[in-house]
Amino acid sequence: MSETPMTRIQLENRRRIMEGALEVFSVEGFRGATLDQISAASGLSKPNLLYYFPSKEAIYTRLLTDLLESWLQPLEEMSPEGEPLDEVLRYVQRKLDMSRDMPRESRLFANEMLRGAPQISEVLSGRLRDLVGARAALLSRWMAEGRLKQTPPDHLIISIWALTQHYADFEVQVRAVLGPDRDPYPEAADYLSALFRNLLAP
């Protein structure tokens, strides 16, 4: 499509395509998903779908790229002017909230990683790597100043991803272990806050 600003109807159709694609890809995976399924899930005809995106691959790549931007936002918002421990714990909570509120998105992203990230490998080695590098440098500075305990900063970020996104990616397992009467997210919030506070408090 041209760079002409989209109309309200076009924007709504794009939103519907992204929502339908998320529903299909998060269940069927990239290989199992079809344009017909995405068309049905979005409530738009297949020709209408192809007016906005030329292929299934284009829809999938756009969905993952948009998702990665959402995933990176909490890390971008870690403020150099903030209290270091508060900034890290806020990041942990934001990531846990995203697992609770965006489980389909988390599982879609995890499936792409398991496939070797063929659609967004350039983004991972570019924008993601650059942002993690910048935040790791900030964490290192706080550690050098004695405001956080020393620990490998890049692995700290990776461990936050692992410990928060697990609740979305393995939700069935988590709920099976905890039982039907327990909400894992408030418990996880308390546990992870204590865990990282004990790890990082100077």
Side-chain angles (χ1 to χ4, degrees):
M1 294 187 63
S2 70
E3 296 181 0
T4 304
M6 289 188 181
T7 66
R8 180 183 59 80
I9 292 174
Q10 288 173 327
L11 288 171
E12 173 60 16
N13 285 345
R14 285 284 292 262
R15 185 199 65 76
R16 289 170 61 185
I17 292 169
M18 289 294 98
E19 176 62 24
L22 173 61
E23 185 64 34
V24 173
F25 284 127
S26 65
V27 173
E28 303 294 339
F30 176 76
R31 290 187 178 89
T34 67
L35 284 174
D36 287 333
Q37 290 171 324
I38 297 170
S39 172
S42 64
L44 297 171
S45 68
K46 188 173 177 180
N48 204 354
L49 198 76
L50 292 172
Y51 169 77
Y52 293 93
F53 295 96
S55 65
K56 179 178 80 169
E57 289 80 1
I59 298 172
Y60 184 71
T61 300
R62 176 57 184 266
L63 185 62
L64 284 170
T65 302
D66 289 350
L67 173 57
L68 185 58
E69 286 302 310
S70 297
W71 247 233
L72 293 180
Q73 185 177 355
L75 190 57
E76 287 184 323
E77 292 173 354
M78 186 181 289
S79 173
E81 287 75 41
E83 184 63 31
L85 186 56
D86 290 343
E87 291 297 320
V88 174
L89 294 180
R90 187 176 298 113
Y91 178 55
V92 172
Q93 185 61 56
R94 286 286 308 278
K95 289 292 293 178
L96 187 62
D97 290 344
M98 292 179 79
S99 287
R100 180 196 63 210
D101 299 336
M102 303 170 66
R104 295 177 303 169
E105 291 88 338
S106 184
R107 287 191 286 269
L108 176 66
F109 190 76
N111 285 334
E112 174 68 6
M113 297 305 101
L114 291 172
R115 294 178 61 233
Q119 302 299 320
I120 59 168
S121 57
E122 291 185 8
V123 179
L124 295 180
S125 60
R127 174 148 162 62
L128 175 64
R129 183 176 180 178
D130 291 344
L131 178 58
V132 170
R135 289 299 173 260
L138 174 61
L139 291 164
S140 291
R141 176 166 68 81
W142 284 337
M143 292 170 191
E145 293 169 351
R147 302 171 72 189
L148 292 174
K149 281 183 183 175
Q150 290 285 345
T151 194
D154 44 5
H155 286 285
L156 172 62
I157 294 170
I158 291 169
S159 71
I160 292 171
W161 297 346
L163 289 170
T164 56
Q165 289 170 217
H166 181 92
Y167 287 92
D169 301 340
F170 292 85
E171 182 179 14
V172 172
Q173 181 189 65
V174 169
R175 292 188 182 278
V177 169
L178 295 179
D181 299 326
R182 292 169 64 184
D183 183 348
Y185 287 98
E187 295 181 24
D190 291 341
Y191 171 74
L192 293 176
S193 178
L195 179 70
F196 284 104
R197 188 179 297 278
N198 290 336
L199 175 68
L200 296 172

